[in-house]
Amino acid sequence: MNHKPFIVSPGANISLKDDYDPSYKAEFHEKADAKRKLKAGIKQLANYQNILYAQNTCALLIIFQAMDAAGKDSTIKHVMSGINPQGCQVFSFKAPSDEELDHDYLWRTMKALPERGRIGIFNRSYYEELLVVRVHPEILKQQQLQYIPDGNQIWQQRFEEINNFEKYLVNNGIIVLKFFLNVSKKEQKTRFLDRIESPEKHWKFSANDVRERGFWDDYMMAYEDVFNHTSTKYAPWHIIPADRKWFTRLVVSEIICAKLRELNLQYPSVSEEHKQKLLHAKKMLENENE
């Protein structure tokens, strides 16, 4: 599959409404075809993760952003279903705690960065500071900032800070993959109603979800500004159609595998001395009296 249609080109000025179709499904006409390909992708991802863990020189940070009910949780669950839990960590960032508000806005995510050899997943991230905080600017007053610039200056400042932060991560071996799961307003309504009508899904639903839906246009504007200012060559944004979950999962898995393939991962080589020790250990085991 060609991944270029999902990438926001650095310096682009995109429109979510005009440039990205939430129901797009590429050449896949049958859901079963995509599921078969996803199964193969999950197996491939597990193999890459084993080598990443063994090589222990770099890490992969995967960021998911989306409107409510876009499928972040289920995408993480399905795409990562085959990997070793020891090599993966998932963090979900909600409203900051009092302790987190006593630090800079990147502090809580810095603490959660993946170690070398591991895959780290952020279910929401520091980008909330350019999304929910922008849609609800009153939140800024709770952040104990010494000075809040007028107008849009604070958002421009944070665009720059986040770009610099991600450049720092990439320079230090933490590869950054950013996904926006692009669900339509119509499909979100369908999923909300399904949650309300299904007792086993009631725990997923909050009345605040519907209130936030009322700010849909504001969020779309904020997201577009984020993509236009923070999709860089070293950490581009990927806008993934999310009205069909089976297609969302397939695209995400393919892009992750493609990125890991680019890294040219290799199992660590061992010295000749170590090889001789292995041979000696083999002989000892073979000569054991059972």
Side-chain angles (χ1 to χ4, degrees):
M1 188 191 309
N2 180 12
H3 300 156
K4 286 186 179 180
F6 309 116
I7 300 174
V8 179
S9 299
N13 187 25
I14 65 101
S15 165
L16 283 172
K17 181 179 179 181
D18 298 332
D19 301 331
Y20 296 91
D21 179 6
S23 63
Y24 177 72
K25 57 186 177 70
E27 72 274 14
F28 291 92
H29 300 290
E30 297 292 337
K31 181 177 178 178
D33 292 339
K35 282 193 168 185
R36 281 193 292 271
K37 195 167 185 181
L38 173 61
K39 186 176 180 180
I42 291 171
K43 185 176 181 180
Q44 187 179 50
L45 177 56
N47 182 56
Y48 284 137
Q49 187 234 350
N50 285 336
I51 306 174
L52 178 75
Y53 188 82
Q55 184 173 296
N56 200 38
T57 58
C58 59
L60 179 64
L61 173 63
I62 304 172
I63 294 174
F64 287 99
Q65 291 288 157
M67 297 293 285
D68 292 318
K72 297 188 304 299
D73 291 348
S74 65
T75 298
I76 294 169
K77 176 182 176 181
H78 283 79
V79 173
M80 299 296 168
S81 61
I83 66 176
N84 186 339
Q86 291 186 98
C88 182
Q89 52 204 48
V90 182
F91 292 91
S92 182
F93 295 99
K94 301 184 184 297
S97 65
D98 289 340
E99 180 189 18
E100 289 166 345
L101 287 172
D102 278 335
H103 292 81
D104 64 274
Y105 69 92
L106 288 173
W107 179 76
R108 65 176 182 164
T109 48
M110 285 182 185
K111 293 197 307 173
L113 290 172
E115 303 169 21
R116 298 187 192 281
R118 287 170 170 79
I119 297 174
I121 300 172
F122 286 178
N123 187 338
R124 301 191 189 278
S125 67
Y126 42 82
Y127 280 102
E128 293 295 287
E129 294 293 329
L130 294 168
L131 297 166
V132 65
V133 177
R134 188 167 187 178
V135 173
H136 301 287
E138 64 274 13
I139 296 176
L140 281 173
K141 297 177 182 178
Q142 304 168 15
Q143 295 190 345
Q144 301 167 209
L145 301 176
Q146 184 179 22
Y147 169 69
I148 301 177
D150 295 329
N152 289 325
Q153 186 178 342
I154 189 167
W155 314 122
Q156 298 300 323
Q157 176 181 306
R158 289 186 173 183
F159 290 147
E160 181 180 359
E161 290 166 348
I162 287 174
N163 286 339
N164 289 338
F165 175 59
E166 291 177 347
K167 180 64 174 174
Y168 166 81
L169 295 181
V170 173
N171 285 348
N172 284 273
I174 301 177
I175 310 305
V176 182
L177 267 181
K178 301 183 294 193
F179 295 105
F180 171 66
L181 305 190
N182 185 28
V183 70
S184 67
K185 192 174 183 181
K186 179 181 178 181
E187 179 62 20
Q188 187 196 57
K189 178 180 177 179
T190 299
R191 294 179 186 179
F192 278 171
L193 288 172
D194 179 58
R195 290 180 180 183
I196 293 171
E197 293 167 0
S198 305
E200 70 277 9
K201 296 181 180 179
H202 284 176
W203 65 274
K204 286 186 173 184
F205 188 78
S206 166
N208 188 58
D209 295 341
V210 175
R211 286 194 291 269
E212 287 299 285
R213 179 177 165 83
F215 296 95
W216 184 276
D217 291 342
D218 295 328
Y219 274 109
M220 292 301 102
M221 182 182 69
Y223 268 113
E224 287 175 357
D225 219 17
V226 163
F227 303 145
N228 292 334
H229 287 89
T230 64
S231 192
T232 58
K233 184 177 180 180
Y234 48 87
W237 274 101
H238 299 78
I239 299 180
I240 311 300
D243 277 8
R244 294 180 173 89
K245 289 185 178 181
W246 53 268
F247 185 71
T248 304
R249 297 162 187 166
L250 174 62
V251 178
V252 169
S253 70
E254 283 204 359
I255 292 172
I256 295 173
C257 284
K259 176 54 67 175
L260 290 172
R261 193 180 306 117
E262 284 179 15
L263 299 179
N264 193 27
L265 299 170
Q266 303 287 333
Y267 282 109
S269 58
V270 297
S271 66
E272 188 61 36
E273 179 184 1
H274 188 75
K275 290 178 182 179
Q276 293 302 318
K277 289 181 179 179
L278 290 174
L279 290 173
H280 180 66
K282 180 183 177 181
K283 289 180 180 180
M284 290 178 64
L285 289 168
E286 290 173 341
N287 292 331
E288 277 186 358
N289 293 319
E290 296 184 1

